[in-house]
Amino acid sequence: MSRSQSHERTTHFLFLAPAFLILGSVLLYPGISVLWLSLHRRLLIFDISRFVGLDNFAYLMQDARFWNAFGNTLYFTTVSVSAELLLGLGVAVLLHRAFRAKGLMRTVLLIPWAVPTVVSAKMWEWLYNPDFGLLNYLLGLRINWLGAPALALHAAILMDVWKTTPFVALLLMAGLQTIPGELYQAARIDGASPWMVFRTITLPLLKPVILVVLIFRTLDAFRVFDAVYVLTGGGPANTTETLSIYAYKVLFQTLQFGYGSAIAVTVFLFVGLTSLLYVRQLRGVTT
Amino acid sequence: MAEIGLQDVHKSFKDVEVLRELNLTIKDKEFFTFVGPSGCGKSTILNLLAGLEAVTSGAVFFNGENVNALPPGDRDVAMVFQSYALYPHMRVYDNLAFPLKVKKEAPEEIRGKVHGVAAVLGLEPLLKRFPRELSGGQRQRVALGRALIRRPRVFLMDEPLSNLDARLRVEMRAELKELHQRFPATTVYVTHDQEEAMALSDRIAVLNRGRVEQCGPPEEIYGQPATLFVAEFVGSPPMNVIDGSLLPHLPVSPSVLGLQDEGNLVVGIRPADVDVLSQEETGTLSAQVLLIEPTGNNTWVDGLWRGMKLKGRAVPGDPLTPGRPGFFRILPDRWHFFHKTSGRRVG
Amino acid sequence: MKRFGFFAGLLLLTLFCLGPLVWQLITAFKPTAELTTLPPLLPSRPTLNHFAAIFAGHPFLRIIANSFVVAVACTVLSLAVGSLAAFALARLPIKRKGLILALVLCGSMFPPIATVSPLYMIIRTLAVRDTLLALILTYTSFALPLTIWVLTHFFRSIPRELYAAARIDGCTAFQSFRMVMLPLAVPGLVATAILVFIYSWNEFLFALTFTATAASRTIPVGIALFPGLHEVPWGEIAAASVVVTLPLLGLVFIFQRRIIEGLTAGAVKG
């Protein structure tokens, strides 16, 4: 009859145990061992495994292809996230009102988000097709979107903007809904212009949500792999090769597990630092 | 049935001490109420008794047995919450049956008990409804029924009437008292409403900042408040409090009562013990009438006397006018004296 | 005029969101000969040839079945494990809850590319390469942080007293989870289930790395590596895209509100 409360405490831990087990073995352990791997020269086919310290990272610093991938990733992240945020904000403000088809509009916005990334990449590859693509036909042009080094990365960015802007807009709409309507009424009674209302009420109150969206999107964009890999494979001439793609190729095409892991670790570090930075900002906003 | 003992109970959350030095015995079948302002720790006591929280130090006894280590389900207590906490996904029938189902009682037995309780509380027509389809008063009854059905050792009630409107609250109050008389069981009740506490309880403990200020039957709490806090908290309208420096102007001398140190006294007098007249008499305090509040059976009068506000009761048929003088006649032997610094009752 | 502008905006937005998909749909029904000529925009005579081809020529059904098994198993596993943990973090007296939740959130920021190499080696060692199990476990670990995060919010929104009442009514912590908290969290569970299902249905990097044959290949890999003899079979790819996207569109149409609730549970309410 009498189960003691310390016994209760162990049962409480049992609720968390399965999650800890899975997260520990399939997420945390690999996350740590990738650091260990990155300190090795490891070639999977030849069974070579040798501890080399920071050699991989030293080599990384001189690897032009790494810096190219780093630059591509940074460019992709900055441009796509800013475009998505600005467009998303516009869409959210446009839709933040009562109208009959609002539910339907939300569904429409969810669709690009739900389409598998690979499907959307194939879809856009077809739209970008230089000979039979719809885009060239509609614009009356004959541009090789994915074949021209100056264009390919922008084409990838456009695809990402298509897929993610609606998602950003949905999150921002939810954020707008948490701002009490009385505030707008009060501001209008005080004679504020729509632009002033947006700047002095909407934007400051929306800031926490904007920051959260920025975190999500920045981290996602920086890790980008499937969208670009399927669309261009990193080409032409590595102009669309992101860090994840470069790491993947080194890992699974040349099977250099040590060096590939070192590239992956840089993604890891960047993601960690960025989220730290954002969380700092967020804490400043909410307190 | 059970007698509850609290021995040296302390409870803190992080660094905040919410209960200290709690020593009490709640007798078997007693209707015992903890009353106090919000934040005084009264709800925490119920959580400790229920086993929802653990004491920081000290011990809780049921019938002399230390229950500190018993989880809530094994304490054989039932609780009625302010929000009722009815399970929204279950019909009234299943809400009532739930504690019995958990104990794995036989279905026929459960059915009998549910209908029994439903009959007592008049819930039979509602058994098939969901909680969201009930009125506030009906929900309250279901919550009571879910507690009653278990025939627990102890009933715990956390402000169960606070969410009802004023009229229903008075009705349910009477019903609760009747239920307790019909099925006497140890009941620990928590409220911030001193009137409710007075009306329902065998004994009351007045809590202030985690400490018991006074514990006793309602008449004692009202008639002989042990501290200035109790005196001001219990009774409506609240007691007039007069500083000891004004004693020379009052028709009472504490030295007659054997009290010294007049400067360190506070004098209390309940508005109900003060008649307000339109004509002066010997021993009346002459004041200026500020406000007249008729409430039906009583008419309360505020007067300004020596820079302070006094409240008294108008005598029926004696007309008073705001702005005109009123004469406050204090009934003899109704004075309360408190030590100014400690707040304790003297004399 | 203002109203007109608003509706023009809606129209433009709809066109932007759905246009590319509609083009893919049209492509799927176009005869092969018309794929390489523009105009006409619409097929002169719609054909089902591409759909027939993907089911006849390739192990496409097997691939769809794989995706389905992986997505369902991952959803069930994530929900079972995640709801237990989320309930504990929302209601049980556990020390350092805030820290645990923060660490879980960090988990959702893990870049997949950073764990793919060690996981690949583990999978090779355990000889589970090219099996669905490898994918299920990996996806579950990546879906768990989000699951726990979203469900913790849902459990917290259930009044505290209901858990207390269940405990006093005689339930153990687990019984009150199963009989009271879980039934009340159904909307949250549905929302989370859909998010996890869509994630596992769409995942590409791990699927590409851990699968080798049609035995375990999932839809995204199947479509990315679509076999073509001489030229890219755009019609068949379009048909396959339509087939695998339809179930998701169904989910989106039915559960629009729930999905948005799930997406915003962690982000907007803080």
Side-chain angles (χ1 to χ4, degrees), chain A residues 50-128:
Chain A
R50 188 158 50 84
F51 185 83
V52 293
L54 293 172
D55 279 8
N56 283 330
F57 292 94
Y59 183 70
L60 211 58
M61 294 299 113
Q62 299 158 13
D63 181 358
R65 195 168 161 194
F66 166 77
W67 288 111
N68 168 59
F70 186 77
N72 288 342
T73 311
L74 218 53
Y75 188 78
F76 178 87
T77 306
T78 321
V79 176
S80 65
V81 172
S82 346
E84 284 154 19
L85 188 69
L86 287 178
L87 288 173
L89 202 56
V91 171
V93 170
L94 177 78
L95 297 185
H96 184 60
R97 67 186 74 188
F99 60 96
R100 214 183 299 160
K102 196 169 184 178
L104 196 66
M105 217 45 220
R106 280 213 193 90
T107 311
V108 166
L109 288 177
L110 265 181
I111 287 174
W113 166 83
V115 170
T117 312
V118 170
V119 167
S120 71
K122 282 289 175 197
M123 199 164 81
W124 281 87
E125 192 184 351
W126 178 228
L127 287 169
Y128 285 137

Side-chain angles (χ1 to χ4, degrees), chain A residues 179-180 183-184 186-187 196-206:
Chain A
I179 302 175
L183 284 182
Y184 293 112
M196 260 169 75
V197 172
F198 178 76
R199 244 188 18 170
T200 56
I201 294 178
T202 312
L203 220 45
L205 289 174
L206 204 58

